Amino acid sequence: MPRTTTPPTSPTAPTPAGPVAAAAEPVAAAAGPAHPAVAHAGPASAPGGLAGVPAATPWEELVTSALLGTDRRPPGGASGPGPDGTAAALLDAAALHTVRRRAGLLPAAASPLPAAAPDDPRPPLPEAARGRLAQLLADRAAGSGGRRGTAPDLTELIPQWLATANVHGYRAPDSALPALLDAARARTDLRPQTLEFAGPRGLWLAGLNPEWKFALRGASGSALLPSPDDPEAVRRLWEEGLFAERIALLGAVRARDADAARALLATTWKTERAEDRLMFVDSLRTGLSAADEEFLETALADRSRNVRATAAELLSALPGSALARRMADRALSCVSPGLTGDEPFVAVEAPHECDEEMQRDGVVALPPSGRGERSWWLGQLVEASPLSVWPARFGGRGAEEIVALPVADGWGEELHAAWCRAAVRQRDAAWARALLGPPSTPPTNGPGTASLAERAKLLAVLPPDERAVWVADFVAAHGLSDAFQLLGVCPVPWAQPLGRAVVDALDIARDAGSYPWSFSGVMGLAERCLDPAEASRLEVLTTTPAEPADASPGANGYWSEAFQRLVSTLRLRATMDSELSAVPER
């Protein structure tokens, strides 16, 4: 049979041809190549034609009629009853040709079957929890928009449900794995919990669908990776695998034997792409130790600036490293106790140049727009220096005393911001505590930085209980306007003092006639983070009080609706917890 591909549609073709051509063209394309015997038989081999179109009408003539319009070019001189009879006859004839062509298709070679899915020995979910998971995933797929009313947002409860299910050690139902992987592909925050819950079967399934390849990167130790005890299989995957598989393999080997992981990385280091070298170096952040120093020192001479910067950052997080000592020597030459006057202070003499040695150690020479060169270099030196060098530099003073000292010549903001970054990088709780200051002090007057993002990072260094108490006192003193980022680093569920401080602040905002939409973010956090046991105590807040004269119209109705949603969400979370605590079926 001659080729059946249709010619390009002429811009002058009559519009009636459009629907006919659109219907006929994909049907023919889907038919694929025909068996030679059938192809040579041609359209005349049909036992008979359809009403209005002779059986011997060639395919090309049908296409021409579809393009020009059946009113201008009826196929084979055919016609049909009614105004659309000929067009219907044309489509029938195209369908007949398509069936004939499909009947002659040669069967394709069968693809090899994938290996069987691995076993998952974990217990199955209780029946009620299986139904709840299906409900949560269905709500995510359906999406939501507009005003939510008093109904809980089920999509935002998925992370908490997964965390609780993982605490109990349940395995995911096989039927839910595709929806779980789709959810994790759409939301990166779901991936760690989802992959843990999906287990080895989820990773096996992810290996069969390119859209789920993201799961392989978090597959450290999974059945998809060779055992670290099989050096030949490890070497083969390291040299031939996809990047996601290789970085997962590196993590699995490093978790078992850090020296073997570094040796594996060294075998191909010089031939890796710059972006891959960056990711490999960054993977050393997990389990970083003094044993990594030699490799990271070598990476300081890498031809990629990003690789050098990451290696320098990791080395500066090792207070005993040679780089940390070099940076400390430079920083101590710039920051010293004041030598004049009766009151102690901090004197600063920022660097006047950024030499090659500084740049090799990770100091970026070119400052961002709006920053001075000297302050930019000073901040990098102090940030990379061990915090342990400063007490000796300032006569044995502790972190709180040093931070409280006045800084000469307007260098205080830059110096304190660098100390904040150093405290976060080195996970030093004493310095983080000193730089945060008392929670009752306004951020702009605090000893450290006024940036709420930086303060949230400092808070994350503190122990969880101390973190929650500090934020509760901050909310009680300053309200919720500046607390959103700080609340985000507190452990869930919120401790009772923190939860009650947040609810009290929301109640005060409602009584003051504030816009409820300004607090929607905090209200959403409360729905996910408050202890579900608080639901009964919050019932009184669901009523709609009379609006003050100066309040926003309808504001109290929105507040009441938001509190009703909060209470219903807390009760749903309590139900979810009880469902997951039930004895599972065996």
Side-chain angles (χ1 to χ4, degrees):
M1 174 181 283
R3 290 184 61 191
T4 60
T5 53
T6 60
T9 303
S10 170
T12 60
T15 53
V20 178
E25 197 169 342
V27 173
H35 189 283
V38 177
H40 289 303
S45 63
L50 296 175
V53 180
T57 303
W59 174 260
E60 287 75 8
E61 185 172 341
L62 295 179
V63 172
T64 302
S65 296
L67 290 174
L68 296 179
T70 54
D71 55 339
R72 295 176 56 188
R73 182 72 173 270
S79 62
D84 297 325
T86 305
L90 172 64
L91 289 175
D92 288 341
L96 178 64
H97 273 278
T98 301
V99 172
R100 184 186 302 118
R101 288 165 56 82
R102 283 181 173 172
L105 285 176
L106 290 173
S111 301
L113 293 176
D119 291 332
D120 191 338
R122 296 176 298 176
L125 283 171
E127 183 177 356
R130 285 202 303 271
R132 183 70 62 190
L133 174 61
Q135 181 188 21
L136 296 176
L137 293 175
D139 188 77
R140 186 206 72 83
S144 60
R147 185 170 172 178
R148 288 169 47 200
T150 61
D153 186 348
L154 300 184
T155 301
E156 292 304 319
L157 295 180
I158 294 177
Q160 187 173 28
W161 189 98
L162 289 170
T164 307
N166 287 332
V167 167
H168 288 284
Y170 293 128
R171 73 167 182 259
D174 293 344
S175 59
L177 290 175
L180 282 167
L181 291 170
D182 278 340
R185 180 170 65 93
R187 287 180 55 177
T188 56
D189 62 306
L190 291 178
R191 291 181 182 179
Q193 298 283 9
T194 298
L195 295 180
E196 180 181 352
F197 182 56
R201 290 197 163 199
L203 294 172
W204 170 86
L205 187 62
L208 303 177
N209 186 343
E211 292 187 350
W212 297 333
K213 284 292 187 182
F214 70 87
L216 300 180
R217 182 173 180 183
S220 178
S222 75
L224 295 178
L225 298 177
S227 169
D229 295 328
D230 186 348
E232 179 59 27
V234 168
R235 181 197 62 78
R236 189 184 313 112
L237 182 59
W238 179 252
E239 293 179 354
E240 302 174 4
L242 300 174
F243 174 73
E245 296 170 328
R246 298 179 71 213
I247 199 152
L249 176 66
L250 184 65
V253 176
R254 182 171 173 82
R256 180 75 173 269
D257 186 344
D259 293 338
R262 285 191 302 274
L264 182 67
L265 182 55
T267 59
T268 59
W269 177 256
K270 293 183 179 179
T271 60
E272 301 286 357
R273 300 182 305 167
E275 53 268 35
D276 292 350
R277 294 199 306 275
L278 175 62
M279 295 298 295
F280 289 140
V281 168
D282 192 68
S283 70
L284 302 182
R285 195 180 302 272
T286 302
L288 182 67
S289 69
D292 298 313
E293 181 179 0
E294 182 179 355
F295 182 88
L296 292 172
E297 276 284 346
T298 303
L300 288 177
D302 194 88
R303 55 187 180 274
S304 167
R305 185 181 69 179
N306 291 333
V307 173
R308 296 195 302 269
T310 302
E313 178 189 348
L314 296 180
L315 284 169
S316 66
L318 296 171
S321 67
L323 179 137
R325 291 193 297 271
R326 294 194 297 269
M327 299 298 270
D329 290 342
R330 296 175 181 125
L332 291 172
S333 68
C334 297
V335 181
S336 59
L339 301 178
T340 60
D342 298 329
E343 297 296 327
F345 67 96
V346 179
V348 176
E349 181 64 29
H352 290 273
E353 63 173 347
C354 183
D355 57 33
E356 291 183 359
E357 290 299 318
M358 289 172 61
Q359 294 182 48
R360 180 186 179 277
D361 284 346
V363 178
V364 179
L366 186 64
S369 177
R371 291 286 300 275
E373 286 183 334
R374 298 181 65 199
S375 64
W376 172 243
W377 300 333
L378 173 70
Q380 294 180 79
L381 296 181
V382 174
E383 176 184 356
S385 300
L387 290 165
S388 58
V389 304
W390 300 111
R393 181 62 163 165
F394 287 93
R397 290 181 172 88
E400 290 188 9
E401 294 177 286
I402 295 174
V403 168
L405 292 175
V407 182
D409 301 325
W411 287 102
E413 182 177 352
E414 184 65 49
L415 180 61
H416 286 176
W419 275 336
C420 287
R421 296 192 296 272
V424 172
R425 181 180 295 186
Q426 299 171 36
R427 311 299 297 174
D428 193 309
W431 274 86
R433 196 175 294 116
L435 290 161
L436 281 168
S440 58
T441 303
T444 53
N445 298 333
T449 175
S451 166
L452 292 172
E454 293 298 325
R455 291 167 76 82
K457 294 177 183 178
L458 288 172
L459 270 172
V461 177
L462 300 181
D465 292 343
E466 182 181 355
R467 201 183 312 164
V469 171
W470 195 97
V471 177
D473 292 341
F474 181 91
V475 170
H478 310 293
L480 294 169
S481 299
D482 297 328
F484 184 80
Q485 289 177 292
L486 307 182
L487 289 168
V489 299
C490 293
V492 177
W494 288 338
Q496 188 179 84
L498 175 58
R500 296 197 171 181
V502 170
V503 172
D504 289 344
L506 287 170
D507 194 20
I508 291 171
R510 179 181 66 168
D511 292 343
S514 302
Y515 285 99
W517 313 280
S518 302
F519 298 90
S520 59
V522 174
M523 188 66 78
L525 274 180
E527 293 172 14
R528 300 187 296 274
C529 302
L530 272 176
D531 190 331
E534 295 288 310
S536 298
R537 193 179 71 87
L538 299 177
E539 188 73 43
V540 67
L541 300 177
T542 61
T543 60
T544 305
E547 291 185 354
D550 57 346
S552 304
N556 275 357
Y558 273 88
W559 276 112
S560 176
E561 184 179 274
F563 280 119
Q564 290 178 48
R565 184 169 60 247
L566 173 59
V567 171
S568 62
T569 302
L570 294 179
R571 287 178 173 157
L572 175 58
R573 286 174 50 205
T575 301
M576 286 166 40
D577 290 344
S578 65
E579 291 169 347
L580 287 166
S581 300
V583 178
E585 299 176 358
R586 292 288 177 179

